[in-house]
Amino acid sequence: MRSEFSTEKDARTLTALFMLSTALIIGGTAENPSRSWLSLVLSLAAAVPLIFLWTRILGTFPEKDLFGIFDEAFGKREGKLFAGLTGAYAFLTAVWTLGTYSSFVTILSSREFDKTLPALLVAAAGAVIAGAGFRAVSGTGRIFFAVRMAFLVLTLTMSLLSIDFSAFPLPLFGKDPASVFSGALSVSMMPFGEVLVILGALPPPAKGEKRSRGIAAGALIVFFALLAVFLRNVLMLGERSMDNLYFHSPYALRIFGIGSFFQRMEILISATDMIVDTLRFTVCIFCVGRSAAKCLGLDEHAVITVPAAAAVFALSEMMLANGQAVSVFREMNKYISLPFCVGIPLVCGIALFFQGRKRKEGNLPLKS
C-alpha cells in the first residue's frame, strides 16, 4: 500500500467526527429515547475500559497501524483474518450509515424527487475521497469537523432560549429500567465501539505522534457533545414526543427560531448534517479498501473503494426498500457489533499480553 502517515490531530478529528455523525442526526437511543442521556452516562462503564484496552494495544507497537499490530499478535496469515473481520465490520457500518442517511432524507423531505439521488451522491463522493488517499480523507475531515462544531455550539446556545426544565423525565429510570441499560449497551457499541473502524482507516503514525491520545480526546468530545444534545432534545420535545420519534434532533430544532433567517433552522442544520455525514461513509470505505488490500496483498487500496461503495449503495437501498430494516438493524446493531468491537480488541490484547510474557522470559525473540 502507498506510504502514508497519520497524526494525533488526525486521530482526534476523525474519531470525533465519525462517532458524532449519525448519533447527532438521530439524537437518542432506540430503546428509551427520553433517557438517552442516562444510557450515555451508563455506557461509560463499558466504553472507558474499551478505549483503555485500545490504548494499551496501540502502545505495544506505537509505530505500526492496526493491521501491522494484528500481524505481530497473530502472525501474517491470522493477521489477515482479523484485518478481514475489521473490513467486514466497516462494510456493515457503511451500509447502515447510508441506509440511515436515505431514511433521513425520505422522512424529512416533503417534496417528490428521486430519494436515491442523495445517497448515490454520498456513495460517489465517498469513493472518490477514499480513493484519493488518507490525506484527502483527513483534510476533508478537518473542514467538516470545524463546520460540525460551529453549528453544534450555535444550536446548543440558541436552544437555551427554548428548553423547558420541567420536561425533565422522572423518575430517573422510568417504568422500564432494563431499556435504559439496553440503551447503554447500544451507545457502548455505537458510537464508542466504532473505534475499530477508525483504527482500520488510520495509517501508521508519524514519528512521535500518539494516536491513542487523539482517539481518547475525540471520544471525550463525543461524550460531552452527545450528553448536551440528548438532554436538549428531551427538554425541548418532552418525554412523550421523544419516545414517539425516530429522528429527534431535527424536530427539536424546529421549535426555536430567531428572526426570519433562523426560522426553520432544522432545514439548514439537516442539510449540513447530511453533507458532513459523507465523511463517516468515506472513513468506512477507506477502511474497507485498506483491509481488502491487506488481505489480497494489493499495493493500492483505491481499486477497492469504487466497487465497495457501489455494493454498499445497493445494499442500503435494499434495506430502505424493506421498510423497517433500518430501525431493526439499529436495534440489533449492539449484538452484531459485540464480537467485532469487543471480541477483536480483547483477543488481540490477550495475544499481545502472553507474547510480552514470553519475551520477558526469553522464550520468544523480538520481531523486527
Side-chain angles (χ1 to χ4, degrees):
M1 289 184 286
R2 71 178 72 174
S3 179
E4 294 179 314
F5 297 95
S6 59
T7 66
E8 180 181 327
K9 187 175 183 179
D10 292 331
R12 180 176 64 251
T13 301
L14 292 181
T15 298
L17 193 58
F18 186 91
M19 290 183 178
L20 280 175
S21 295
T22 305
L24 277 186
I25 291 176
I26 294 176
T29 62
E31 292 81 1
N32 196 329
S34 60
R35 287 166 177 81
S36 299
W37 68 272
L38 182 57
S39 294
L40 175 66
V41 173
L42 294 174
S43 73
L44 292 178
V48 171
L50 186 61
I51 299 294
F52 178 76
L53 176 58
W54 277 122
T55 300
R56 294 300 301 269
I57 291 173
L58 294 175
T60 306
F61 295 98
E63 75 285 357
K64 295 183 178 293
D65 65 356
L66 179 64
F67 302 148
I69 294 176
F70 286 160
D71 288 344
E72 295 289 344
F74 307 111
K76 295 288 185 181
R77 184 172 57 186
E78 292 80 4
K80 288 183 178 181
L81 171 62
F82 280 85
L85 290 173
T86 302
Y89 181 67
F91 186 86
L92 286 174
T93 303
V95 172
W96 185 80
T97 298
L98 203 58
T100 302
Y101 185 98
S102 298
S103 178
F104 182 64
V105 172
T106 301
I107 291 174
L108 296 185
S109 175
S110 59
R111 297 182 179 181
E112 290 299 325
F113 68 102
D114 187 358
K115 301 296 195 302
T116 64
L117 182 59
L120 181 60
L121 293 175
V122 169
V128 171
I129 297 172
F134 181 73
R135 292 271 55 96
V137 176
S138 174
T140 305
R142 292 184 184 186
I143 296 172
F144 284 178
F145 178 74
V147 173
R148 168 72 80 185
M149 289 296 105
F151 275 102
L152 182 61
V153 172
L154 173 65
T155 54
L156 287 175
T157 302
M158 293 177 64
S159 298
L160 294 175
L161 302 173
S162 304
I163 59 176
D164 178 12
F165 288 101
S166 65
F168 188 82
L170 291 172
L172 198 60
F173 285 87
K175 298 180 180 179
D176 186 12
S179 64
V180 177
F181 288 99
S182 180
L185 178 59
S186 293
V187 177
S188 300
M189 296 299 101
M190 187 196 75
F192 295 116
E194 295 171 334
V195 171
L196 177 66
V197 178
I198 299 164
L199 288 176
L202 287 176
K207 187 175 181 180
E209 296 288 343
K210 294 184 178 180
R211 295 161 298 174
S212 57
R213 190 161 57 188
I215 288 172
L220 196 63
I221 292 172
V222 170
F223 172 77
F224 284 110
L226 289 182
L227 182 63
V229 169
F230 288 173
L231 281 171
R232 178 204 65 189
N233 289 349
V234 71
L235 292 177
M236 292 185 70
L237 293 173
E239 183 175 358
R240 180 175 298 179
S241 295
M242 278 286 289
D243 291 340
N244 291 329
L245 293 171
Y246 185 86
F247 292 103
H248 308 99
S249 294
Y251 289 96
L253 293 174
R254 285 184 178 181
I255 294 177
F256 65 83
I258 300 177
S260 57
F261 177 76
F262 286 110
Q263 294 297 325
R264 298 304 303 273
M265 170 66 80
E266 84 281 358
I267 298 176
L268 176 62
I269 301 301
S270 297
T272 305
D273 285 339
M274 289 189 290
I275 294 173
V276 172
D277 215 34
T278 304
L279 197 279
R280 176 181 169 88
F281 178 82
T282 301
V283 171
C284 290
I285 294 300
F286 190 71
C287 179
V288 171
R290 296 190 75 246
S291 170
K294 171 70 175 178
C295 295
L296 300 176
L298 302 177
D299 294 328
E300 183 57 64
H301 73 274
V303 298
I304 305 296
T305 56
V306 172
V312 168
F313 173 73
L315 289 175
S316 67
E317 289 303 306
M318 291 172 58
M319 177 185 291
L320 188 64
N322 196 24
Q324 298 297 318
V326 174
S327 58
V328 170
F329 187 86
R330 178 189 175 195
E331 294 175 6
M332 295 299 297
N333 182 64
K334 56 179 174 286
Y335 305 115
I336 298 172
S337 299
L338 269 174
F340 295 98
C341 298
V342 177
I344 289 178
L346 190 60
V347 172
C348 184
I350 292 173
L352 291 174
F353 172 77
F354 283 107
Q355 279 196 19
R357 290 189 59 180
K358 288 182 179 180
R359 288 196 180 100
K360 288 181 180 180
E361 295 171 358
N363 296 329
L364 190 65
L366 287 172
K367 297 181 181 180
S368 58

